[in-house]
Amino acid sequence: MKLTIQTDYALRTLMFLATRSSRAHVGDVAQLFGISVNHVAKVVNLLAREGYIRSTRGVGGGIELAQQPEEISIGEVIATIEADMHLLACVGDDDSCAIHSFCKLKGVLAEAERVQREYLDGVTLADVVPTRRQLDRVKSPRN
């Protein structure tokens, strides 16, 4: 499985927010990672709709985690954002191949997906978040 750039940005945004004790801004995330503010804003909107973060507009507004890092499963975040997590189309669709009715590879790949998902579901944001000090020492790729 290869994750989309949107999932990458979502996970980075959550990791960033987990190091903050107060609200941050989309621009803070974008600057640290050297990515577009517009891309971060799209991810923030999705994460807010799904209940992972709170987004507050106006003076004093910003973004913050809506859940504790220990409550956010990396596997669930990935599943929320990724449209298709199958290794091959045949794992999710019985009619995608001429040999689907007797293919043993499909079962092997389905099991690999299950193991991967089970593992990722057991990893929380708290397990992968860097310290604030580590992030504060990072120089943006754009600097």
Side-chain angles (χ1 to χ4, degrees):
M1 166 179 53
K2 181 173 180 165
L3 301 177
T4 62
I5 197 76
Q6 186 174 24
T7 300
D8 177 18
Y9 292 171
L11 293 170
R12 289 198 236 177
T13 299
L14 291 171
M15 290 168 60
F16 177 88
L17 293 175
T19 68
R20 301 304 190 247
S21 57
S22 60
R23 289 186 185 127
H25 298 95
V26 169
D28 299 333
V29 177
Q31 181 180 4
L32 175 71
F33 293 115
I35 55 182
S36 159
V37 170
N38 290 334
H39 284 107
V40 176
K42 287 178 188 176
V43 166
V44 162
N45 286 334
L46 175 59
L47 291 171
R49 271 195 319 270
E50 296 297 328
Y52 293 110
I53 66 172
R54 277 188 294 275
S55 179
T56 307
R57 294 178 186 231
V59 177
I63 55 176
E64 61 189 340
L65 290 179
Q67 303 175 39
Q68 293 299 314
E70 299 81 17
E71 298 170 341
I72 299 175
S73 161
I74 297 299
E76 288 177 14
V77 173
I78 292 170
T80 297
I81 298 172
E82 291 294 324
D84 181 6
M85 293 180 48
H86 293 301
L87 294 171
L88 289 177
C90 66
V91 179
D93 180 10
D94 284 340
D95 295 327
S96 66
C97 177
I99 66 170
H100 71 87
S101 63
F102 57 87
C103 181
K104 293 179 182 178
L105 179 60
K106 178 178 176 176
V108 169
L109 295 177
E111 178 62 10
E113 288 178 6
R114 186 196 66 74
V115 169
Q116 178 175 275
R117 177 68 195 262
E118 184 178 292
Y119 174 76
L120 291 171
D121 284 348
V123 177
T124 69
L125 180 59
D127 296 325
V128 300
V129 69
T131 66
R132 169 122 187 213
R133 187 177 206 185
Q134 288 170 319
L135 280 185
D136 287 347
R137 289 190 297 218
V138 172
K139 297 289 185 207
S140 169
R142 292 188 179 168
N143 289 346

